[in-house]
Amino acid sequence: MSATILVVEDEPGIQELLKFNLGQQGHAVRVAGDADEAMNSLRGELPDLILLDWMLPGVAGVDLARRLRGDSRTKDIPIIMLTARAEERDKVLGLETGADDYITKPFDYKELSARVRSLLSKKIASAELAKKEKTQALDQMVDEVSHEVRNPLVSIGGFARRVAKNMAVDDPNRPYMEIILKNVVTLERMVNELIELKGASVAFQEPIDLHDLIRTTIDQFAEDIHARNVTVHLELMENPPRIAADRQNFGRALFNLFENSLEAMTGPERKLAVATEVTRDDFFVIRISDSGCGIGQDKIKNIYDPFFTSKTYGPGLGLTFVFRTVQNHNGMITVESKEGQGTTFTIRLPIRAGR
Ligand code: CA
């Protein structure tokens, strides 16, 4: 298990030793000499764990720990306090410092690495559990919504359309009726998406030609592509392997991605590119890039969440469906985006399963 560890320690000798020992266990180590440097370092990519010296020049380690616990961005990073004396150790234990563990100097490196390993695996386990619970909660919600909302919605929609059809063109209530119908359509779409999302996990997989699926899915947007003046670049590899996939679900996932990309392209440059390749480690890769308005870095990590909304994508379940579908194909999806420049979704699917 290799992780990124931030060491906050002012003594150069201890910094070096920690860096060396943790580095030998395969961890990437970042070093900060005081609280300010630590805060600077935490502005970038977050570490998986922090080793924090109790006695720091300026802001004390214990105050920094409290500050990190109070910040939603850093509150879940495990912290091990490094203490020099027994009284400090007692304070770590007795006070609400926010530290998860402590270790007394001089360190026994075996002990230190055991503590680090234990905290890291706890962190991974709790993240996985949280994800699983979230998924289960969503599945339950899908069931409830599809039962409790669908039926009344069918009658509301049905009768509203019937009333609207028989309404005179100059009926004063017509504008209100149109608002009702517009909202009925929104709700119907949401319920359908929820039901589809449930279907993402019930898959019938057979070896298929994904290039064919990519082309036919893009063809469904032919009118839209023309109307929006979008150029489409297909850079598809020759002789692609057949991949085990559920045609309907995977097609729907591609549809959602293309739909998002097209909607994101509101600026003068409108290019949608789809490229495929096979990697050395036997993955079939599909890369979908648009020159759209992009997604902010603060939002990108929540992009697959149900009903997530950004300026570009959502609100809805479109990307949640994509994520679930790729997962159910034992694949991975990653996204890179620059605001104002565009977004690239990369799907990696294992090839072997299809052979
Ligand atoms: Ca110190």
Side-chain angles (χ1 to χ4, degrees), residues 173-190:
N173 285 322
R174 203 171 178 86
Y176 307 124
M177 203 51 183
E178 273 160 16
I179 293 170
I180 293 173
L181 284 176
K182 198 175 147 231
N183 284 304
V184 162
V185 169
T186 305
L187 284 174
E188 283 170 344
R189 184 183 161 139
M190 197 167 100

Side-chain angles (χ1 to χ4, degrees), residues 25-250:
Q25 286 153 42
H27 301 305
V29 182
R30 283 166 21 197
V31 176
D34 59 28
D36 285 343
E37 279 182 34
M39 291 309 281
N40 266 333
S41 171
L42 290 167
R43 264 184 214 119
E45 204 183 319
L46 292 175
D48 300 299
L49 186 137
I50 300 172
L51 291 180
L52 179 55
D53 185 23
W54 177 272
M55 286 294 279
L56 286 171
V59 177
V62 57
D63 295 322
L64 179 58
R66 281 203 198 96
R67 197 190 286 178
L68 296 177
R69 283 294 171 262
D71 184 337
S72 62
R73 235 182 125 239
T74 53
K75 71 176 171 37
D76 295 322
I77 306 173
I79 298 173
I80 300 179
M81 291 294 290
L82 310 174
T83 66
R85 294 189 302 271
E87 72 230 43
E88 292 171 0
R89 185 196 63 201
D90 293 343
K91 282 185 191 160
V92 175
L93 292 173
L95 295 172
E96 287 286 304
T97 55
D100 297 274
D101 205 349
Y102 69 90
I103 190 155
T104 321
K105 296 174 188 176
F107 318 123
D108 170 28
Y109 281 97
K110 266 194 189 142
E111 191 192 345
L112 178 69
S113 93
R115 300 270 176 100
V116 167
R117 265 204 313 275
S118 145
L119 275 179
L120 286 176
S121 54
K122 246 191 245 170
K123 188 190 170 211
I124 290 167
S126 76
E128 274 171 7
L129 186 67
K131 208 166 135 193
K132 207 173 151 192
E133 280 171 354
K134 207 165 141 188
T135 310
Q136 281 170 347
L138 176 71
D139 286 345
Q140 206 183 336
M141 185 182 80
V142 169
D143 268 351
E144 280 163 20
V145 167
S146 48
H147 284 106
E148 300 299 325
V149 178
R150 200 185 185 187
N151 294 338
L153 188 57
V154 167
S155 75
I156 294 170
F159 289 129
R161 287 187 177 99
R162 201 157 118 186
V163 172
K165 208 175 142 195
N166 296 325
M167 222 173 214
V169 184
D170 56 352
D171 192 306
N173 285 322
R174 203 171 178 86
Y176 307 124
M177 203 51 183
E178 273 160 16
I179 293 170
I180 293 173
L181 284 176
K182 198 175 147 231
N183 284 304
V184 162
V185 169
T186 305
L187 284 174
E188 283 170 344
R189 184 183 161 139
M190 197 167 100
V191 170
N192 286 338
E193 278 188 338
L194 281 169
I195 291 164
E196 269 176 11
L197 187 61
K198 212 185 164 198
S201 53
V202 192
F204 173 68
Q205 296 184 4
E206 55 182 339
I208 62 169
D209 178 356
L210 282 176
H211 284 182
D212 183 46
L213 193 60
I214 289 169
R215 288 200 186 91
T216 51
T217 308
I218 284 190
D219 281 348
Q220 296 180 54
F221 292 98
E223 257 179 57
D224 203 19
I225 286 168
H226 181 73
R228 286 169 188 265
N229 213 3
V230 171
T231 41
V232 178
H233 293 253
L234 293 185
E235 295 148 34
L236 308 181
M237 69 177 291
E238 299 213 354
N239 304 318
R242 291 171 89 79
I243 304 291
D246 180 293
R247 187 181 291 275
Q248 200 184 335
N249 283 345
F250 211 85

Side-chain angles (χ1 to χ4, degrees), residues 298-314:
D298 54 325
K299 293 191 167 150
I300 213 160
K301 65 179 187 300
N302 300 324
I303 195 169
Y304 305 113
D305 288 355
F307 303 114
F308 164 82
T309 181
S310 80
K311 186 169 67 183
T312 326
Y313 302 107

